[in-house]
Amino acid sequence: MVNIMKSKIISPSRIHMGLIDLNGSIGRVDGGIGITLNNPNFIIEGKESSDIEIEFDKNITDKNITNNEIEKRIYDISKKVLEYIGEKGIYLKIKSVIPQHSGLGSGTQMALSTGKLISLIYQKELDSKTLSTITGRGGTSGIGVNAFEKGGFIVDGGHSFGKGKDKEDFRPSSASKNVRAPPVLFRHDFNWDVVLTIPKGESIYGNKEVDIFKKYCPIPLNETQKICHLILMKMMPAIIENDISSFGEVVNKLQYIGFKKVELGLQKDIVKELLETLQKVSYSGLSSFGPTIYSICDGKDSVKNVVETSKEFFDKYRIDGDIIITKGNNRGFDVK
């Protein structure tokens, strides 16, 4: 094994397109679909140290969370991983962050990147499933864990459900302890362009997220069945056959059924209107609990149309936001 004393990890972001089954009547729950993205990224450098030391690049500013909050989360993750491998300290420098609480998987990528880097520096090389257990990720969706590991378009199979199973009730990853990461049912390279339109919207996380799962689950069985039908018989064949129109039609439909309908319903009216506006010019959906809206584009003209529509919308309502042009990431994290 190579002796890695100092290293850097570049971790991708991800779109979470929706949870498949929050009904649970056949003994399985959750399941998810998602796309790994080239950027934005979480980038972290590190080296051995006798204490836990965390430093930030000067240019890091996040509109939704302070560096102190990020530092606390990384400290807690580092402590858990160091205790697991029997070490005491690490020096970490945060070079770039994924926008926090925006539906782009920042928490999972932060946890896995930090844990993987520490394990490499101390020559332990823990795998993603082990790291997800140590850091408490993957308790609902396996998209973030597998985006980190493999990249691409991913469909995961959720968790066993019922008394004595992986999960006994409906709850998000943040409240699901010691739950195995879900199995990957399908993975395929994703080669279309993506535009992320990120307005300031309602961010759902923490205790608020737990309450939402309790309030709205179980989702009606007929809606779960419709989601499964769309994914299995239209979305998955479409990505294999490079059929963006069929793939995109599923994206648009998924916004108004199942748990995604709940997630969208919790957003501010301005975010809902933005989604409707973008669906007129592209195939668009809300990522996770939002407020990020992703648009699947086929070529430069499509990208330009989405970007111009997003800018016009921001200008019209005088709202703050970011527009990011990106593509699918088909490899997962990189070590430099």
Side-chain angles (χ1 to χ4, degrees):
M1 183 179 290
V2 178
N3 183 18
I4 300 177
M5 300 297 289
K6 183 177 180 180
S7 193
K8 175 169 78 172
I9 281 184
I10 302 172
S11 174
S13 49
R14 63 95 180 107
I15 295 164
H16 197 286
M17 306 174 80
L19 290 164
I20 298 170
D21 187 341
L22 285 178
N23 176 269
S25 60
I26 60 171
R28 203 146 191 99
V29 75
D30 300 327
I33 49 173
I35 302 166
T36 315
L37 300 176
N38 265 339
N39 59 75
N41 301 115
F42 181 75
I43 304 176
I44 185 170
E45 293 180 343
K47 61 183 179 180
E48 293 181 11
S49 176
S50 57
D51 298 306
I52 299 176
E53 305 173 70
I54 300 167
E55 184 181 350
F56 289 82
D57 252 9
K58 295 177 183 177
N59 64 341
I60 293 182
T61 56
D62 190 298
K63 297 174 184 176
N64 297 325
I65 191 170
T66 67
N67 284 358
N68 286 341
E69 290 175 273
I70 297 173
E71 183 176 357
K72 183 181 184 306
R73 293 176 70 180
I74 293 175
Y75 181 92
D76 291 342
I77 292 161
S78 301
K79 190 173 181 181
K80 288 176 182 177
V81 175
L82 288 166
E83 287 176 354
Y84 185 88
I85 64 175
E87 300 290 347
K88 291 186 177 179
I90 193 76
Y91 167 81
L92 299 170
K93 186 167 186 178
I94 316 306
K95 305 286 287 183
S96 177
V97 296
I98 298 167
Q100 308 287 298
H101 308 310
S102 294
L104 293 172
S106 59
T108 297
Q109 301 310 312
M110 184 188 299
L112 296 181
S113 294
T114 302
K116 176 65 80 171
L117 186 67
I118 293 170
S119 75
L120 287 173
I121 287 169
Y122 285 107
Q123 302 178 68
K124 304 295 182 180
E125 204 158 347
L126 301 175
D127 62 34
S128 297
K129 288 188 177 180
T130 301
L131 288 169
S132 67
T133 301
I134 295 168
T135 60
R137 309 307 300 183
T140 299
S141 169
I143 302 304
V145 175
N146 290 292
F148 177 81
E149 185 68 35
K150 303 175 182 178
F153 170 77
I154 301 160
V155 181
D156 80 68
H159 304 91
S160 62
F161 186 68
K163 190 171 178 58
K165 303 293 185 180
D166 285 341
K167 296 180 78 171
E168 296 187 359
D169 57 12
F170 301 97
R171 59 178 64 196
S173 296
S174 59
S176 300
K177 306 302 180 185
N178 302 314
V179 176
R180 295 178 295 178
V184 175
L185 303 181
F186 178 84
R187 187 245 167 238
H188 197 279
D189 281 2
F190 185 91
N191 297 313
W192 293 310
D193 296 308
V194 178
V195 177
L196 304 177
T197 305
I198 313 174
K200 285 188 174 179
E202 183 70 16
S203 296
I204 307 293
Y205 58 94
N207 292 333
K208 205 171 179 181
E209 190 179 20
V210 176
D211 292 341
I212 290 163
F213 276 78
K214 288 179 180 178
K215 180 177 180 180
Y216 292 100
C217 297
I219 295 296
L221 180 59
N222 68 315
E223 294 194 34
T224 296
Q225 291 170 334
K226 186 173 182 180
I227 292 167
C228 292
H229 191 193
L230 286 168
I231 293 170
L232 180 62
M233 294 306 295
K234 192 164 186 176
M235 184 171 250
M236 288 163 58
I239 197 167
I240 292 171
E241 296 176 349
N242 197 36
D243 179 358
I244 191 171
S245 61
S246 293
F247 186 92
E249 286 167 10
V250 176
V251 169
N252 285 356
K253 287 180 181 178
L254 287 177
Q255 307 314 302
Y256 307 104
I257 53 175
F259 196 70
K260 180 56 64 181
K261 179 173 64 177
V262 173
E263 293 173 331
L264 182 59
L266 293 165
Q267 285 295 317
K268 293 178 180 177
D269 289 342
I270 198 75
V271 176
K272 298 173 191 174
E273 185 177 343
L274 174 59
L275 174 61
E276 291 172 2
T277 301
L278 288 171
Q279 284 186 336
K280 292 174 182 176
V281 299
S282 183
Y283 307 110
S284 301
L286 183 75
S287 182
S288 189
F289 278 98
T292 295
I293 293 174
Y294 63 92
S295 298
I296 312 297
C297 302
D298 188 14
K300 292 181 180 179
D301 288 344
S302 177
V303 168
K304 182 181 178 182
N305 203 4
V306 171
V307 170
E308 288 178 351
T309 301
S310 297
K311 286 180 177 178
E312 288 170 4
F313 190 92
F314 284 171
D315 290 343
K316 177 181 177 181
Y317 290 103
R318 298 181 181 178
I319 58 175
D320 189 21
D322 297 310
I323 301 167
I324 300 170
I325 301 169
T326 184
K327 291 184 75 72
N329 171 304
N330 295 312
R331 63 189 179 277
F333 74 94
D334 280 335
V335 180
K336 301 290 186 181

